[in-house]
Amino acid sequence: MDDHLTVGRVAELAGVSVRTLHHYDEIGLVRPSARTAAGYRAYSASDVERLREVLVYRRLGIGLREIADVVNDPSMDAVAHLHRLHALLLEQRDRAAALVTAIDTELKERAMGIKATPEAQLQVFGAQLYEAIGSAYPATRRTDPRIAATIWAALGDARTVLNVGAGSGSYEPTDREVTAVEPSAVMRAQRPAGAARCLDASAESLPFEDQSFDAAMAVSTLHHWHDPIAGLREMRRVARRVVVFTHDASDPGWRHRFWLTRDYLPEVGGLVAGRPSVDQLTSAIGARMEPVLIPWDCADGFFEAYWRRPEAYLDERVRRAVSVWTRVGPEAEQRAVDGLRADLSSGRWAERNSELVALEAAELGLRLLVA
């Protein structure tokens, strides 16, 4: 028993009560695999590993029943759980950072004698990231017809389509029966008249029966999900075909392919650290992966869209419609913008990136996953 820990010692190290550990044992969530000579519970290394996972999920506010489903998933090993936990913690950090930014803004406004309305105060403190940036989307975010054609072709002959994390409705096919789900009230409010019906729901818990749709699609939304793996599996559950437009950040050299992250905004690397790799995403739903090139005049103003139009990143409206700029924080954003402005003025940007002028489209890590 030298390699086991007593229940008292585990409780002390984990900062929980012995009563909590007894409860986890009784409900089958974390059962110690051995007993001491005196009959007390004893935890092996694998027991402690499972307990660690449970405690982190619990401290993220996840209920015990949902935690049991996650930790009992036979397709998830210890490394996969670590990646998932890391991603969830980063998401929590990003939300905290967005809240800090909102508080800083209000402090500056109050210093100038401006007081936010009660409604605005509640909206800020209850906001998700989309709630903070979503109002800027109409200015620069719209369907690019070339990317849309690629996505719609991947849908095949599907007649009924579920759009998950649908936002304001970009890329929804008009010649099929579409149902949308979107958790952000700000984004739902921006859906145009005549758009498909949109339900308030999240990817990780879709309110539909198994195989309810011919296809499920998700466009530029996985990075906003609490648990991308769980969301993809839900899409697979409710639809016979899954089509996902996302970004591959698993290649160690991906940041250096795009001059903006390479030369001005290296903080982007920290935003994707710990997120599930594209290989993990494809494996979760048995998908194939296809690269998607970005045309030089891309109509959809996502982060990489202006790779041949660098002046666009100096526009506040462009930056506010891309979550990356909010997530890196105001200091990194200002430094990047100032550096880019100076290099454009001096001609240094043109010297560094002269090869881009002749390109009609660029490969910057965008991927289509089809299952």
Side-chain angles (χ1 to χ4, degrees):
M1 297 297 296
D2 291 342
D3 58 344
H4 286 64
L5 297 176
T6 66
V7 64
R9 182 57 175 158
V10 169
E12 177 186 358
L13 290 170
V16 298
S17 67
V18 170
R19 184 176 179 180
T20 295
L21 296 179
H22 286 176
H23 179 61
Y24 289 171
D25 184 5
E26 290 164 2
I27 64 176
L29 189 58
V30 184
R31 284 182 170 156
S33 57
R35 295 271 176 171
T36 66
Y40 294 110
R41 294 170 172 86
Y43 291 77
S44 67
S46 60
D47 299 334
V48 170
E49 191 171 77
R50 182 180 173 96
L51 175 63
R52 185 272 313 281
E53 293 164 1
V54 168
L55 292 177
V56 177
Y57 283 124
R58 193 75 186 98
R59 288 169 187 176
L60 285 166
I62 300 174
L64 292 180
R65 185 171 298 177
E66 185 178 354
I67 291 173
D69 290 339
V70 173
V71 297
N72 289 328
D73 185 346
S75 67
M76 297 282 288
D77 60 15
V79 173
H81 277 296
L82 285 174
H83 280 297
R84 179 178 287 188
L85 289 168
H86 193 265
L88 290 170
L89 289 166
L90 287 177
E91 178 73 15
Q92 189 177 73
R93 181 202 65 184
D94 292 341
R95 292 179 185 279
L99 184 56
V100 168
T101 299
I103 292 173
D104 286 343
T105 299
E106 184 172 343
L107 286 171
K108 292 176 183 177
E109 291 175 346
R110 285 179 179 260
M112 295 185 291
I114 303 171
K115 185 175 180 179
T117 65
E119 292 85 357
Q121 292 176 30
L122 291 176
Q123 288 170 353
V124 166
F125 285 92
Q128 296 181 3
L129 185 59
Y130 258 151
E131 308 295 333
I133 68 173
S135 58
Y137 268 55
T140 62
R141 301 301 295 271
R142 57 186 66 90
T143 300
D144 182 272
R146 293 150 295 190
I147 294 176
T150 301
I151 295 171
W152 296 343
L155 292 173
D157 59 359
R159 301 307 307 164
T160 57
V161 178
L162 176 67
N163 188 13
V164 182
S168 59
S170 296
Y171 298 98
E172 288 179 0
T174 57
D175 60 343
R176 316 183 195 218
E177 181 185 336
V178 177
T179 300
V181 295
E182 170 54 56
S184 167
V186 168
M187 300 304 293
R188 292 197 304 271
Q190 294 180 39
R191 295 177 65 81
R197 71 183 182 115
C198 188
L199 307 180
D200 179 3
S202 63
E204 296 85 352
S205 184
L206 296 173
F208 306 106
E209 299 294 331
D210 294 358
Q211 303 295 288
S212 297
F213 301 91
D214 294 332
M217 60 182 281
V219 179
S220 299
T221 179
L222 260 65
H223 54 291
H224 292 293
W225 296 1
H226 290 293
D227 190 337
I229 297 292
L232 288 176
R233 287 176 175 159
E234 272 289 271
M235 292 175 68
R236 192 62 165 148
R237 178 183 67 79
V238 304
R240 287 181 285 279
R241 176 180 288 258
V242 175
V243 177
V244 178
F245 180 57
T246 188
H247 183 270
D248 177 12
S250 58
D251 179 358
W254 73 270
R255 276 188 297 147
H256 300 287
R257 292 200 299 268
F258 185 27
W259 54 264
L260 183 56
T261 53
R262 181 192 66 212
D263 300 331
Y264 304 100
L265 205 62
E267 288 83 359
V268 172
L271 299 181
V272 300
R275 300 290 289 178
S277 69
V278 72
D279 289 337
Q280 289 174 306
L281 298 178
T282 55
S283 177
I285 54 174
R288 70 175 189 273
M289 180 171 55
E290 304 172 2
V292 179
L293 301 184
I294 307 172
W296 77 270
D297 57 348
C298 184
D300 189 353
F302 50 76
F303 183 59
E304 300 90 351
Y306 303 97
W307 59 270
R308 215 180 87 175
R309 297 170 287 168
E311 296 83 0
Y313 294 106
L314 305 181
D315 188 335
E316 176 79 11
R317 297 175 306 163
V318 167
R319 299 197 305 277
R320 292 287 67 79
V322 178
S323 62
V324 166
W325 294 101
T326 298
R327 295 172 70 194
V328 297
E331 292 185 5
E333 177 181 0
Q334 193 60 55
R335 188 206 65 241
V337 170
D338 289 345
L340 176 58
R341 180 180 288 110
D343 285 352
L344 288 172
S345 178
S346 68
R348 188 180 183 191
W349 183 91
E351 292 175 3
R352 279 179 170 176
N353 303 284
S354 58
E355 74 283 358
L356 300 183
V357 176
L359 295 181
E360 293 296 314
E363 203 290 272
L364 294 175
L366 297 189
R367 299 289 183 266
L368 196 67
L369 312 184
V370 182

